[in-house]
Amino acid sequence: MKKITAALAGNPNCGKTTIFNLLTGSHQHVGNYPGVTVEKKQGVCRYGDYEITFVDLPGTYSLTAFSEEELVARNYILDEKPDIVVDIVDASGIERNLYLYMQLMEMDVSLLLVFNMSDIAEQRGLVFDIQQLSTLLEARIVQMVGTKGQGKQFLLDAVINSIEKPRKQRIHKINYGDEVEHELDKIEKALIAEEPELSQKYRTRWLAIKLLEQDDDISKHIKSSRVKNIVTSSFEFLKDILGENPEIYMAGRRYGYISGACQETIKTTAELRHNYSDMIDSVVTHRVIGLPIFLSLMFITFFLTFKLGHYPMSWLEHLFGWLGKTISGFWPAGSENWFKSLIVDGIIGGVGGVIVFLPTILILFMMIAFLEDSGYMARAAFIMDRIMHKIGLHGKSFIPMIIGFGCSVPAIMATRILENKRNRLVTIMVIPLMSCGAKLTIYTLITQAFFSEKLQPLMMWLIYIIGIILAVISIKLLRLTIFKGESIPFVMELPPYRLPTFKSISIHMWQRGWMYLKKAGTIILAASIILWFAMSYPKPDTSSHQNKLEYSAIGRLGKAIEPALKPIGFDWKIGTALIGATAAKELFVSQMAIAYSVGDPEQADMTLREKLSANYSPLTGFCIMLFCLIYAPCVATIAMTKQETNSWGWAMFQFFGLTVLAYVITLIVYQVGNLIFY
Amino acid sequence: MEQKEIKPLSKIRSGEKAKLVNIEAGRGLNNRLASMGLVSDVEISVVSNSHPGPFVINVKGSKVMLGRGMANKIMVSGCDNEKDNSGSGR
């Protein structure tokens, strides 16, 4: 069996992922490119004598060094040298799509063109002279309709044909005009003389073009000062006579070349003025009803996620409950030992607590995949951009933040829809300030314990609003300090609406679900075991009446930090519960219950709520909510932040940053509140 | 052809067309726009320009949304009255 590697390149929204899914099915591997947060997808397809590995490169419009995605795609092609690059273009928007192809052509790699969405192109009345285009563009061309699964065979045949019978040297090249060509020539000559190694490794003409475009990534490889000087003087000279930046001028020439090629080979038989996409857009991006439509769609997404997710979630809860009981049954009464407690309370309790969220996560990602694949997400981003732009974020950031009200883990995963790294990092940092479902259990306990029925909804609303306000302020602060820089201006393509395929959505859903299970699951397992040990050991003598929790490692830790917690109105019990709750926020409630389980005999028959209101003031109650809202996110969130930012640094920044913020704000509220109320 | 007045894209009304002259922005943005087809002399048709709502243009057959700030930086010359059919490539 012969092995081939084929890289799939293409514009965003050209249907590349659909074709990738069509080719590789479920035989996919999703990871990250080393050192960056760009997703790397690989899949294998067996065909005839060949085992073809398809690599789905990030969707880009060009191959400059301005964005991480473009650089990743370019470096993959240059350094990993796939046997063939398959450029997938949206046939209904051929000219714009061929721009990327021009750049691939200049890199002089083995190429194959796929005209995807040929059906839509046909509807728009476009007729292609494939033979002629193939000659002009010097590559085999395959017509496909990825969403209907048409053309898979042709594509695979063409890949193998292109490899078995490769084309000769390219004849055509883009002519950039006499002035530019002259300067390119000078740079090329200097490169061959001064940088023999580099011009051996890459194509000299391509290097010269990139240098003239002042490409940062290529420029840094140049050591020779003579080459540098020639490039600088050529650049200044051309800028002067062309009246614009040479790189922009050259982009114009590439488009000119495409226009020329298309003029001869593409005929328009019918002019379609208004299509259904325009009609949908006139409603959903309407300046008055656009926002309400978006908000209702979001509401429906959440409603369905948590409503539908509720049933499998309770089944799983029962399953884990049953599992715990069954395993407990292996030990006859009285013979229970530490091992049983570790398995049942530690591992099944801890890991089960995470897995029960899986259905919710799967449904949520199915909904998001649908909104994204259908083309609506681009419109939503535009609607929200008006508001989000004011705080220095992209409109799309709104979506992960909304998901944050459910759970931070999928919210952080959802930041993948943001292309800009700075935007992604800022959004990830503030997501924990959106009160998640687990924090809701804490709020419920506290509001019911300390506030009258009338005040409860108000307090609940207040804590959510405080979270949002803090998030907005934090974003502003982060954008002004660590993530300084011009806010990314908004340019985004509005892809035509299309019905997503079931295959694409289910593959997307399972990939996200699996990631959740694998990453959050392993970390949670470790954390559960550690926490269980900390809560169970060391054990006090059975004869003493000491509180077991107080005697344990985590209880001692709580005691140790008590002096630091005094100024914000907390005692060691709250401290212990707060530490435990970093494993999962809802643990705060069970930890408080354990801490109060052995205590004053007079309070023995009181509920936890009554015990809390008997021991703390409403101000302390409010401060608990406030602190829980802001402080260190749970272990699963930290693990996810680490994975998505590819750095422990950001995860730790989030951990400590939020804890410090929580402390400062709670301190102010408690001290001021004390002055006013007591 | 008579010399047309140069003005920002944001001044072009919905349904009208204009020709791109230049973009007054930094290198990064300029490159990104160029890769999306916004190069000199390209014909832009404004799909929607409703204050303060979406600014949507059609360039080379694909719809692109722009922030209003950006629409101010893109300088165009109007060709709204012209009955020309040489503008598009196909």
Side-chain angles (χ1 to χ4, degrees), chain A residues 82-341:
Chain A
D83 297 299
I84 190 162
V85 178
V86 181
D87 182 18
I88 297 166
V89 302
D90 173 357
S92 62
I94 194 81
E95 284 194 40
R96 215 279 316 285
N97 273 261
L98 281 177
Y99 185 74
L100 179 68
Y101 182 80
M102 288 298 122
Q103 306 200 345
L104 290 167
M105 221 165 96
E106 286 186 321
M107 285 162 76
D108 204 23
V109 287
S110 176
L111 281 166
L112 172 65
L113 258 172
V114 172
F115 280 21
N116 192 25
M117 304 186 201
S118 322
D119 56 339
I120 297 175
E122 204 173 308
Q123 281 168 26
R124 293 201 182 161
L126 298 177
V127 181
F128 303 98
D129 181 348
I130 295 288
Q131 200 72 45
Q132 185 85 24
L133 266 171
S134 177
T135 316
L136 281 172
L137 299 173
E138 300 183 275
R140 286 183 173 81
I141 298 175
V142 179
Q143 285 181 292
M144 279 186 88
V145 184
T147 48
K148 292 179 187 156
Q150 291 170 9
K152 180 181 169 183
Q153 202 86 6
F154 296 128
L155 172 59
L156 290 169
D157 282 333
V159 167
I160 288 164
N161 265 328
S162 304
I163 290 199
E164 284 178 350
K165 289 173 233 134
R167 292 183 155 262
K168 291 166 236 83
Q169 197 74 35
R170 288 190 184 283
I171 319 157
H172 299 294
K173 65 169 189 183
I174 301 161
N175 189 311
Y176 290 106
D178 290 345
E179 295 92 351
V180 179
E181 288 297 335
H182 185 70
E183 299 305 315
L184 282 175
D185 207 43
K186 273 204 280 189
I187 300 171
E188 273 184 65
K189 283 198 180 109
L191 275 170
I192 293 167
E194 304 271 332
E195 299 276 355
E197 236 172 85
L198 209 59
S199 40
Q200 196 93 89
K201 192 175 170 197
Y202 305 122
R203 205 171 160 236
T204 324
R205 182 175 166 86
W206 183 78
L207 279 176
I209 291 169
K210 286 291 139 187
L211 286 173
L212 198 53
E213 287 178 345
Q214 298 199 303
D215 186 284
D216 293 334
D217 194 58
I218 295 298
S219 302
K220 73 177 182 216
H221 289 299
I222 301 293
K223 287 174 210 85
S224 147
S225 56
R226 194 167 85 86
V227 175
K228 282 183 193 166
N229 288 340
I230 291 176
V231 170
T232 314
S233 70
S234 294
F235 178 84
E236 294 301 334
F237 168 72
L238 289 174
K239 194 178 174 182
D240 198 41
I241 59 160
L242 298 172
E244 65 183 329
N245 226 318
E247 55 196 338
I248 303 302
Y249 175 80
M250 285 155 84
R253 295 292 294 211
R254 286 188 200 114
Y255 270 111
Y257 186 95
I258 298 169
S259 281
C262 290
Q263 210 135 30
E264 292 171 36
T265 53
I266 302 173
K267 298 278 167 288
T268 314
T269 54
E271 183 89 19
L272 219 74
R273 285 236 171 261
H274 281 284
N275 54 29
Y276 65 100
S277 273
D278 290 326
M279 264 145 40
I280 301 174
D281 266 348
S282 64
V283 179
V284 300
T285 62
H286 191 274
R287 60 179 174 157
V288 181
I289 59 173
L291 190 62
I293 289 175
F294 168 65
L295 292 177
S296 351
L297 277 171
M298 274 293 138
F299 179 77
I300 293 168
T301 303
F302 274 91
F303 181 78
L304 285 180
T305 303
F306 291 103
K307 262 279 179 249
L308 291 178
H310 176 77
Y311 301 103
M313 201 165 152
S314 67
W315 301 335
L316 282 174
E317 271 168 351
H318 280 119
L319 179 74
F320 282 107
W322 170 84
L323 197 66
K325 271 206 197 97
T326 313
I327 290 175
S328 300
F330 296 154
W331 284 270
S335 75
E336 291 98 341
N337 58 6
W338 66 270
F339 187 65
K340 176 226 149 193
S341 174

Side-chain angles (χ1 to χ4, degrees), chain A residues 620-652:
Chain A
T620 306
F622 185 76
C623 284
I624 292 175
M625 287 208 290
L626 199 58
F627 197 86
C628 285
L629 162 71
I630 312 166
Y631 91 113
C634 67
V635 178
T637 305
I638 296 165
M640 199 44 79
T641 301
K642 191 260 148 187
Q643 188 201 326
E644 293 295 303
T645 58
N646 220 330
S647 111
W648 278 110
W650 288 120
M652 287 300 110

